[in-house]
Amino acid sequence: MTDNLELSHQQERAFQPQRLSAPRDFLMPDATLTPKSSLVLEIGAGKGKHALSFAMQNSDKHLIAIERTRNKFEAFEKLAAQQNSANLTAIHADAIAWIVHAIAPNSIDSIYILYPNPEQHNPNQQWLNMPFFEFLLSRLQVDGEIILATNIETYMDNAEHQANEVWCLPNTRSQVASSSQRTHFEVKYLARQETCWELSMKKPEGYQTRFDKWMIADVSI
Protein backbone atom coordinates (compact mmCIF):
# COMPACT_ATOMS: atom_id res chain seq x y z
CA MET A 1 0.00 0.00 0.00
CA THR A 2 1.09 3.56 -0.66
CA ASP A 3 2.01 5.38 2.55
CA ASN A 4 0.94 8.94 3.33
CA LEU A 5 -1.68 9.04 0.60
CA GLU A 6 -4.45 11.51 1.28
CA LEU A 7 -7.52 9.45 0.49
CA SER A 8 -10.69 11.02 -0.85
CA HIS A 9 -12.99 8.82 1.23
CA GLN A 10 -13.50 7.64 4.82
CA GLN A 11 -13.25 3.86 4.36
CA GLU A 12 -10.64 2.59 6.81
CA ARG A 13 -10.61 -1.13 5.92
CA ALA A 14 -8.49 -1.75 2.85
CA PHE A 15 -9.41 -4.26 0.18
CA GLN A 16 -6.65 -6.82 -0.53
CA PRO A 17 -6.68 -7.58 -4.27
CA GLN A 18 -3.39 -9.45 -4.18
CA ARG A 19 -5.13 -12.30 -2.36
CA LEU A 20 -7.60 -13.01 -5.16
CA SER A 21 -6.81 -15.71 -7.70
CA ALA A 22 -7.92 -15.26 -11.29
CA PRO A 23 -11.29 -16.83 -12.17
CA ARG A 24 -11.21 -20.27 -13.79
CA ASP A 25 -10.38 -20.17 -17.50
CA PHE A 26 -9.59 -16.47 -17.20
CA LEU A 27 -8.70 -14.72 -20.44
CA MET A 28 -7.99 -11.01 -20.79
CA PRO A 29 -10.63 -9.62 -23.19
CA ASP A 30 -9.34 -7.58 -26.09
CA ALA A 31 -11.57 -4.66 -25.13
CA THR A 32 -9.56 -4.01 -21.97
CA LEU A 33 -6.23 -4.17 -23.79
CA THR A 34 -6.85 -1.96 -26.80
CA PRO A 35 -10.13 -0.13 -26.24
CA LYS A 36 -11.48 1.46 -29.41
CA SER A 37 -14.40 3.06 -27.62
CA SER A 38 -15.51 4.01 -24.13
CA LEU A 39 -15.57 1.03 -21.79
CA VAL A 40 -18.69 0.34 -19.74
CA LEU A 41 -19.06 -2.35 -17.09
CA GLU A 42 -22.19 -4.16 -15.88
CA ILE A 43 -21.98 -6.23 -12.70
CA GLY A 44 -24.65 -8.90 -12.36
CA ALA A 45 -25.96 -8.94 -15.94
CA GLY A 46 -28.46 -11.74 -15.31
CA LYS A 47 -29.90 -13.03 -18.59
CA GLY A 48 -28.58 -9.96 -20.38
CA LYS A 49 -31.69 -7.85 -21.02
CA HIS A 50 -29.97 -4.56 -20.17
CA ALA A 51 -26.64 -5.55 -21.74
CA LEU A 52 -28.15 -6.55 -25.07
CA SER A 53 -30.26 -3.40 -25.30
CA PHE A 54 -27.38 -1.16 -24.22
CA ALA A 55 -25.04 -2.63 -26.83
CA MET A 56 -27.56 -2.05 -29.61
CA GLN A 57 -28.25 1.54 -28.56
CA ASN A 58 -24.65 2.62 -27.85
CA SER A 59 -22.40 1.65 -30.73
CA ASP A 60 -19.74 4.10 -29.50
CA LYS A 61 -19.34 2.20 -26.21
CA HIS A 62 -18.03 -1.30 -25.44
CA LEU A 63 -19.96 -3.03 -22.66
CA ILE A 64 -18.37 -5.76 -20.56
CA ALA A 65 -21.24 -7.57 -18.81
CA ILE A 66 -20.43 -10.00 -16.00
CA GLU A 67 -22.72 -12.70 -14.59
CA ARG A 68 -21.71 -15.32 -12.04
CA THR A 69 -24.73 -17.68 -12.00
CA ARG A 70 -24.27 -20.36 -14.66
CA ASN A 71 -27.86 -20.80 -15.85
CA LYS A 72 -28.39 -17.06 -16.19
CA PHE A 73 -25.10 -16.63 -18.01
CA GLU A 74 -25.85 -19.46 -20.44
CA ALA A 75 -29.16 -17.82 -21.36
CA PHE A 76 -27.36 -14.47 -21.75
CA GLU A 77 -24.56 -15.99 -23.83
CA LYS A 78 -27.04 -17.61 -26.22
CA LEU A 79 -28.87 -14.34 -26.81
CA ALA A 80 -25.60 -12.43 -27.17
CA ALA A 81 -24.46 -14.89 -29.86
CA GLN A 82 -27.71 -14.37 -31.73
CA GLN A 83 -27.45 -10.59 -31.53
CA ASN A 84 -23.74 -10.68 -32.40
CA SER A 85 -22.92 -7.16 -31.20
CA ALA A 86 -19.21 -6.44 -31.65
CA ASN A 87 -19.36 -3.98 -28.74
CA LEU A 88 -20.58 -6.50 -26.14
CA THR A 89 -18.36 -8.89 -24.15
CA ALA A 90 -20.23 -11.40 -21.95
CA ILE A 91 -18.20 -12.75 -19.03
CA HIS A 92 -19.03 -15.75 -16.80
CA ALA A 93 -17.13 -15.11 -13.57
CA ASP A 94 -17.22 -13.72 -10.08
CA ALA A 95 -17.19 -9.99 -10.72
CA ILE A 96 -14.79 -9.02 -7.95
CA ALA A 97 -12.02 -11.44 -8.93
CA TRP A 98 -12.49 -10.75 -12.63
CA ILE A 99 -12.31 -6.97 -12.21
CA VAL A 100 -9.15 -7.25 -10.11
CA HIS A 101 -7.41 -9.26 -12.83
CA ALA A 102 -8.82 -7.62 -15.97
CA ILE A 103 -9.56 -3.93 -15.46
CA ALA A 104 -6.89 -1.23 -15.47
CA PRO A 105 -7.04 1.88 -13.29
CA ASN A 106 -8.96 4.87 -14.64
CA SER A 107 -10.30 2.91 -17.63
CA ILE A 108 -14.08 2.58 -17.18
CA ASP A 109 -16.53 5.25 -18.31
CA SER A 110 -19.52 3.95 -16.34
CA ILE A 111 -20.57 1.00 -14.19
CA TYR A 112 -24.08 -0.46 -13.90
CA ILE A 113 -25.17 -2.40 -10.83
CA LEU A 114 -28.86 -3.01 -11.48
CA TYR A 115 -30.98 -4.75 -8.84
CA PRO A 116 -28.20 -6.59 -7.00
CA ASN A 117 -28.89 -9.15 -4.30
CA PRO A 118 -29.97 -6.92 -1.37
CA GLU A 119 -28.07 -9.08 1.14
CA GLN A 120 -30.57 -8.10 3.82
CA HIS A 121 -29.20 -10.72 6.24
CA ASN A 122 -25.58 -9.91 5.43
CA PRO A 123 -25.33 -6.15 4.89
CA ASN A 124 -21.52 -6.26 4.80
CA GLN A 125 -21.96 -7.77 1.33
CA GLN A 126 -23.89 -4.80 -0.01
CA TRP A 127 -21.74 -3.09 -2.65
CA LEU A 128 -21.19 0.24 -0.96
CA ASN A 129 -20.48 -1.45 2.38
CA MET A 130 -17.59 -3.50 0.97
CA PRO A 131 -13.93 -2.39 0.95
CA PHE A 132 -13.90 -3.60 -2.67
CA PHE A 133 -15.91 -0.52 -3.61
CA GLU A 134 -12.72 1.53 -3.21
CA PHE A 135 -10.99 -0.70 -5.76
CA LEU A 136 -13.97 -0.32 -8.09
CA LEU A 137 -13.69 3.47 -7.85
CA SER A 138 -10.01 3.25 -8.81
CA ARG A 139 -11.02 1.59 -12.10
CA LEU A 140 -13.46 4.41 -12.90
CA GLN A 141 -12.38 7.40 -14.98
CA VAL A 142 -12.60 10.95 -13.66
CA ASP A 143 -16.23 12.08 -14.08
CA GLY A 144 -17.16 8.42 -14.55
CA GLU A 145 -20.47 7.26 -13.16
CA ILE A 146 -21.73 4.31 -11.12
CA ILE A 147 -25.45 3.61 -11.51
CA LEU A 148 -27.09 1.52 -8.79
CA ALA A 149 -30.76 0.50 -8.94
CA THR A 150 -32.94 -1.34 -6.42
CA ASN A 151 -36.57 -1.76 -5.44
CA ILE A 152 -35.70 -1.93 -1.73
CA GLU A 153 -35.84 1.49 -0.13
CA THR A 154 -33.71 0.57 2.90
CA TYR A 155 -30.97 -0.68 0.56
CA MET A 156 -31.09 2.62 -1.30
CA ASP A 157 -31.14 4.61 1.94
CA ASN A 158 -27.95 2.87 3.04
CA ALA A 159 -26.30 3.25 -0.38
CA GLU A 160 -27.05 6.97 -0.42
CA HIS A 161 -25.69 7.35 3.12
CA GLN A 162 -22.50 5.44 2.25
CA ALA A 163 -22.01 7.44 -0.94
CA ASN A 164 -22.19 10.65 1.07
CA GLU A 165 -20.53 9.80 4.37
CA VAL A 166 -18.01 7.06 3.52
CA TRP A 167 -17.16 7.42 -0.17
CA CYS A 168 -17.65 11.20 -0.38
CA LEU A 169 -19.08 11.01 -3.89
CA PRO A 170 -21.38 13.53 -5.56
CA ASN A 171 -24.61 11.65 -6.15
CA THR A 172 -28.20 11.96 -7.26
CA ARG A 173 -31.05 9.77 -6.08
CA SER A 174 -34.16 9.42 -8.20
CA GLN A 175 -37.16 7.20 -8.84
CA VAL A 176 -37.02 4.94 -11.88
CA ALA A 177 -39.64 5.85 -14.47
CA SER A 178 -42.61 3.49 -14.52
CA SER A 179 -42.00 2.87 -18.24
CA SER A 180 -38.41 1.68 -17.75
CA GLN A 181 -37.63 -1.90 -18.81
CA ARG A 182 -33.87 -2.28 -18.36
CA THR A 183 -33.90 -5.67 -16.61
CA HIS A 184 -36.34 -8.52 -16.03
CA PHE A 185 -36.42 -7.59 -12.34
CA GLU A 186 -37.21 -3.97 -13.16
CA VAL A 187 -40.07 -4.99 -15.46
CA LYS A 188 -41.50 -7.25 -12.74
CA TYR A 189 -41.21 -4.72 -9.92
CA LEU A 190 -42.70 -1.85 -11.90
CA ALA A 191 -45.55 -4.06 -13.15
CA ARG A 192 -46.40 -4.64 -9.48
CA GLN A 193 -46.40 -0.85 -9.06
CA GLU A 194 -43.42 -0.97 -6.71
CA THR A 195 -41.17 2.06 -6.47
CA CYS A 196 -37.70 1.46 -7.89
CA TRP A 197 -34.81 3.71 -6.95
CA GLU A 198 -31.65 4.74 -8.79
CA LEU A 199 -28.48 6.29 -7.37
CA SER A 200 -26.03 7.94 -9.75
CA MET A 201 -22.57 8.50 -8.27
CA LYS A 202 -19.83 10.51 -9.98
CA LYS A 203 -16.07 10.29 -9.44
CA PRO A 204 -14.79 13.86 -9.12
CA GLU A 205 -11.48 15.14 -10.43
CA GLY A 206 -8.63 14.58 -7.99
CA TYR A 207 -10.33 11.64 -6.24
CA GLN A 208 -7.69 9.38 -4.70
CA THR A 209 -7.84 5.73 -3.62
CA ARG A 210 -5.19 3.26 -2.47
CA PHE A 211 -5.40 1.47 -5.81
CA ASP A 212 -5.02 4.20 -8.42
CA LYS A 213 -1.75 2.72 -9.71
CA TRP A 214 -2.32 -0.90 -8.70
CA MET A 215 -2.16 -3.63 -11.31
CA ILE A 216 -2.34 -7.39 -10.74
CA ALA A 217 1.35 -7.85 -11.50
CA ASP A 218 2.25 -5.58 -8.60
CA VAL A 219 3.20 -7.07 -5.25
CA SER A 220 2.70 -3.78 -3.47
CA ILE A 221 1.38 -0.31 -4.10
Side-chain angles (χ1 to χ4, degrees):
M1 295 292 177
T2 300
D3 295 328
N4 303 318
L5 176 65
E6 186 176 346
L7 300 177
S8 299
H9 59 79
Q10 303 299 320
Q11 172 61 260
E12 295 182 0
R13 275 202 309 141
F15 179 61
Q16 297 182 311
Q18 70 278 9
R19 294 190 173 187
L20 287 182
S21 300
R24 180 179 297 179
D25 302 323
F26 173 77
L27 292 173
M28 184 76 77
D30 292 341
T32 64
L33 294 172
T34 55
K36 299 178 181 179
S37 55
S38 298
L39 281 178
V40 178
L41 188 66
E42 181 174 1
I43 298 174
K47 296 180 180 180
K49 182 174 175 61
H50 172 261
L52 294 162
S53 176
F54 184 95
M56 288 187 64
Q57 296 173 16
N58 296 274
S59 59
D60 60 329
K61 300 181 185 294
H62 191 110
L63 175 62
I64 300 173
I66 309 172
E67 175 55 43
R68 180 177 60 183
T69 305
R70 177 171 295 278
N71 64 338
K72 291 182 180 179
F73 176 78
E74 289 176 348
F76 174 25
E77 186 178 40
K78 182 178 180 180
L79 293 171
Q82 293 171 356
Q83 183 167 301
N84 194 28
S85 294
N87 63 330
L88 174 61
T89 300
I91 299 293
H92 181 218
D94 174 78
I96 293 176
W98 193 89
I99 290 166
V100 164
H101 284 263
I103 302 296
N106 191 39
S107 62
I108 301 296
D109 177 75
S110 54
I111 300 170
Y112 287 88
I113 309 175
L114 303 178
Y115 303 94
N117 185 333
E119 302 286 359
Q120 290 174 297
H121 300 295
N122 191 12
N124 288 335
Q125 294 300 308
Q126 294 179 10
W127 286 103
L128 275 81
N129 292 349
M130 292 192 290
F132 170 73
F133 198 76
E134 179 184 2
F135 189 92
L136 193 62
L137 288 170
S138 76
R139 311 294 102 169
L140 196 64
Q141 295 174 351
V142 172
D143 291 327
E145 181 182 25
I146 298 180
I147 301 99
L148 173 73
T150 181
N151 66 318
I152 299 177
E153 189 169 9
T154 55
Y155 188 106
M156 183 54 66
D157 290 343
N158 176 71
E160 184 179 23
H161 176 269
Q162 295 295 92
N164 286 320
E165 302 301 327
V166 176
W167 301 112
C168 306
L169 296 170
N171 64 87
T172 302
R173 175 175 174 168
S174 60
Q175 289 189 25
V176 175
S178 60
S179 59
S180 187
Q181 298 184 2
R182 288 176 296 185
T183 77
H184 292 97
F185 283 123
E186 189 166 80
V187 170
K188 179 175 69 173
Y189 299 147
L190 292 173
R192 297 194 305 219
Q193 298 186 328
E194 295 183 23
T195 300
C196 293
W197 303 95
E198 179 173 299
L199 188 68
S200 169
M201 297 162 275
K202 291 288 188 76
K203 179 180 177 178
E205 186 173 358
Y207 196 93
Q208 294 191 88
T209 80
R210 284 167 277 214
F211 307 103
D212 294 335
K213 298 180 180 180
W214 195 94
M215 294 293 292
I216 193 60
D218 297 340
V219 295
S220 62
I221 300 176

